[in-house]
Amino acid sequence: MTDESQATPVPAETRCGFVALIGAPNVGKSTLVNALVGSKVTIVSRKVQTTRALIRGIVIEGASQIILVDTPGIFAPKRRLDRAMVTTAWSGAHDADLVCVLLDAQKGIDAEAEAILSKAAGVAHEKILVVNKVDLVPREKLLALVADANERLAFSRTFMISALSNDGVDDVRRALAAMVPPGPFHYPEDQMSDAPLRQLAAEITREKIYGHLHQELPYQSTVETDSWTERKDGSIRIEQTIFVERDSQRKIVLGKAGATIKSIGAKSREELAEITGATVHLFLFVKVRENWGDDPDRYREMGLEFPKE
């Protein structure tokens, strides 16, 4: 006989929404996404402009699903690729349900931040201010920065955090969960990112390249995952091609007797194995693709709209 008092409770109303993170390069957007999700979904690098497409991290907090749109850093565009990334960043802000504007506590409201605050005023969504790297700045300076930013733009909430040390991140997560609109979840609960594993694998290898060669190699280099094969023994075989623009760059990536690419591959393989929970066999190739920055197909592969001159 069934005890009706033990009946399954009716689930609470679910909420789900897209939250765009906008800010200048190196303000900590990718680090914040990773901290909110609790897993690595976007690459973090000393090189600016590493997040090229709207890679989303997905957070479950209570009965809410928060879909984070980690946009490319907004900066003054000079080349075609620059313009494509800036356009993508602002389209992500306009298409989201909420907008988080990130400021670097150390830099304050410099020319880049001022331009972002000014343009964000034209985005017709509720806006949240997140001041990052607060552990590096005296409290008096922080309070003055927050007051200045709120005078320039009407923010619903303000948070002071250190994404790197996770300080204040839980408060941001809870606030976003309460602020996204009511509605069903868009993604399965166990899916942390909608970026395909092939793309994530390419991003991880690209991060390792920058870690090794941030002085010698321009960020225009790109990585493509050519094949991803799950083998019968449970291991994964991945083949990737690293594209550079000149033969001199190819030699830099390979290194003396192949030492550099071997080290890059080892670090990328280690992280991919940790993410997939499987043994990974990674094979890297380096090719020259001249003027790939002017090829519309390459932009589409990165999730960017090809800008016309």
Side-chain angles (χ1 to χ4, degrees):
M1 185 173 173
T2 304
D3 181 355
E4 293 189 9
S5 66
Q6 299 297 315
T8 304
V10 177
E13 179 186 44
T14 58
R15 292 177 169 271
C16 184
F18 290 84
V19 178
L21 305 177
I22 63 173
N26 287 343
V27 76
K29 296 182 303 301
S30 295
T31 306
L32 177 57
V33 168
N34 294 335
L36 286 167
V37 175
S39 177
K40 183 164 188 169
V41 292
T42 68
I43 66 171
V44 180
S45 169
R46 287 173 292 182
K47 273 284 188 183
V48 298
Q49 308 328 323
T50 54
T51 306
R52 286 179 174 163
L54 301 182
I55 299 174
R56 299 171 176 88
I58 300 169
V59 181
I60 303 293
E61 176 70 19
S64 297
Q65 186 175 72
I66 308 158
I67 304 162
L68 300 165
V69 184
D70 182 31
T71 63
I74 296 172
F75 58 106
K78 296 175 183 176
R79 299 171 303 117
R80 192 192 296 268
L81 178 61
D82 297 342
R83 293 198 300 278
M85 289 191 290
V86 171
T87 299
T88 300
W90 283 113
S91 70
H94 284 284
D95 293 342
D97 296 294
L98 299 170
V99 174
C100 276
V101 177
L102 268 74
L103 294 181
D104 184 322
Q106 284 186 297
K107 293 182 179 177
I109 301 180
D110 57 9
E112 284 183 317
E114 190 170 5
I116 289 167
L117 289 170
S118 176
K119 192 159 184 178
V123 178
H125 298 301
E126 199 167 6
K127 289 173 276 289
I128 300 155
L129 175 64
V130 178
V131 181
N132 191 24
K133 308 179 187 179
V134 297
D135 51 327
L136 305 175
V137 174
R139 183 170 177 79
E140 298 75 22
K141 184 179 177 182
L142 280 175
L143 294 176
L145 170 58
V146 167
D148 188 4
N150 275 274
E151 278 183 21
R152 294 167 185 260
L153 196 59
F155 290 104
S156 300
R157 301 284 301 274
T158 296
F159 296 92
M160 293 187 278
I161 70 164
S162 171
L164 198 58
S165 65
N166 224 32
D167 186 30
V169 172
D170 290 345
D171 294 334
V172 176
R173 188 188 297 110
R174 284 191 290 267
L176 294 177
M179 294 173 76
V180 291
F185 286 6
H186 292 332
Y187 297 95
E189 290 191 44
D190 61 351
Q191 187 173 343
M192 291 182 301
S193 171
D194 75 344
L197 281 173
R198 281 173 173 249
Q199 182 182 344
L200 179 58
E203 292 290 277
I204 286 170
T205 299
R206 193 155 59 90
E207 177 189 29
K208 304 312 174 194
I209 293 169
Y210 292 153
H212 274 73
L213 303 169
H214 65 281
Q215 297 290 348
E216 299 101 316
L217 195 68
Y219 72 83
Q220 292 96 315
S221 61
T222 189
V223 178
E224 293 178 12
T225 301
D226 303 312
S227 68
W228 177 295
T229 308
E230 296 184 11
R231 300 165 63 169
K232 290 182 180 178
D233 62 2
S235 66
I236 301 170
R237 177 189 170 93
I238 302 170
E239 292 186 8
Q240 294 180 327
T241 301
I242 300 164
F243 288 101
V244 293
E245 292 191 312
R246 294 188 296 278
D247 191 58
S248 59
Q249 295 171 350
R250 179 177 177 274
K251 291 173 182 175
I252 290 170
V253 175
L254 289 172
K256 189 173 182 180
T260 302
I261 196 169
K262 191 177 293 184
S263 179
I264 289 167
K267 291 196 173 183
S268 184
R269 185 183 303 113
E270 182 182 347
E271 186 160 329
L272 285 165
E274 185 180 336
I275 288 172
T276 60
T279 300
V280 171
H281 306 283
L282 177 64
F283 299 88
L284 298 179
F285 307 92
V286 188
K287 294 182 181 178
V288 176
R289 180 188 274 163
E290 292 183 5
N291 301 319
W292 74 264
D294 295 323
D295 185 348
D297 289 339
R298 301 285 81 78
Y299 284 73
R300 281 191 286 273
E301 286 170 7
M302 291 189 288
L304 299 172
E305 183 179 339
F306 184 73
K308 296 176 182 177
E309 291 292 357

